[in-house]
Amino acid sequence: DEEATRVDNERETRSSESERQWRRARARVERVMSATSWQIGEKARCEWQGDWYPVKIMKVEASREEEPYYVHFSGWNSRYDAWVSADRLKAEARSAKEEERRKRVREEEEEE
């Protein structure tokens, strides 16, 4: 009986640790995604050596906390694609319709 209780306690502890790890990972993903809400396929401007270049967001990986966005520099060879941080990205001029859509998406995410 003691052995069975010990095994059950270990399982519960492991389960709790897994739950905490999952919640931390989920919070990290939400932090990164909510920072700018950049989406794959979206166009932006990226700072590179003091100048701003048009880019397309190709990948978003929250696990890469420092540089979660993989961008392709429009008109450049893909060998120049790079992982960048959110502070190196800024929005291209958007239509009022696109701005309204982004606002709705952010509001919906905040409600969840």
Side-chain angles (χ1 to χ4, degrees), residues 42-103:
E42 200 166 9
K43 293 182 179 181
R45 294 246 169 215
C46 182
E47 184 276 328
W48 185 263
Q49 298 182 349
D51 290 321
W52 292 89
Y53 296 90
V55 296
K56 182 176 180 180
I57 309 297
M58 304 302 288
K59 297 179 188 177
V60 179
E61 289 188 18
S63 61
R64 296 179 56 92
E65 291 182 42
E66 298 296 318
E67 296 178 324
Y69 302 103
Y70 191 73
V71 299
H72 171 70
F73 289 86
S74 301
W76 292 84
N77 188 296
S78 62
R79 72 173 178 245
Y80 295 107
D81 293 359
W83 288 99
V84 299
S85 58
D87 63 341
R88 290 185 50 203
L89 296 172
K90 69 178 181 179
E92 292 238 309
R94 292 192 183 99
S95 67
K97 183 178 177 181
E98 176 63 13
E99 286 296 335
E100 183 60 31
R101 185 195 67 79
R102 287 176 63 86
K103 181 180 176 184

Side-chain angles (χ1 to χ4, degrees), residues 17-28:
E17 288 174 10
S18 294
E19 180 70 19
R20 282 193 297 274
Q21 289 174 341
W22 181 85
R23 287 182 184 194
R24 280 195 301 269
R26 175 77 181 174
R28 191 170 52 245

Side-chain angles (χ1 to χ4, degrees), residues 8-25:
D8 285 343
N9 287 341
E10 285 180 10
R11 282 188 191 137
E12 188 175 309
T13 299
R14 275 191 233 121
S15 176
S16 296
E17 288 174 10
S18 294
E19 180 70 19
R20 282 193 297 274
Q21 289 174 341
W22 181 85
R23 287 182 184 194
R24 280 195 301 269

